[in-house]
Amino acid sequence: MANESTEQFLRRIRAGEGASPAVLPAASGPPVFAALVRGDLELPAGSVCYALFREQVIAPIAASDLLS
């Protein structure tokens, strides 16, 4: 959000503000792109994932990859 301090950003991320329920991909389904706060979701083989906190994500992409 514009003019948001780092503290406000952290509070918003921790609270899940702005998040909405989604249909989760089946682990046996086709590959997906996922952008996650926590990398705690089992994704189908071949998926691409960015996770703010990696946790169980094995090969996440970097934030800079999203811009290129």
Side-chain angles (χ1 to χ4, degrees), residues 10-48:
L10 179 60
R11 272 196 297 276
R12 184 168 52 84
I13 293 297
R14 285 185 172 165
E17 184 180 322
S20 58
V23 176
L24 300 178
S28 61
V32 297
F33 168 75
L36 308 171
V37 172
R38 300 200 184 293
D40 58 356
L41 180 64
E42 185 177 351
L43 298 171
S47 293
V48 174

Side-chain angles (χ1 to χ4, degrees), residues 34-40 49-55 57 60-62:
L36 308 171
V37 172
R38 300 200 184 293
D40 58 356
C49 180
Y50 169 77
L52 191 57
F53 301 102
R54 294 181 180 173
E55 297 182 14
V57 174
I61 62 172

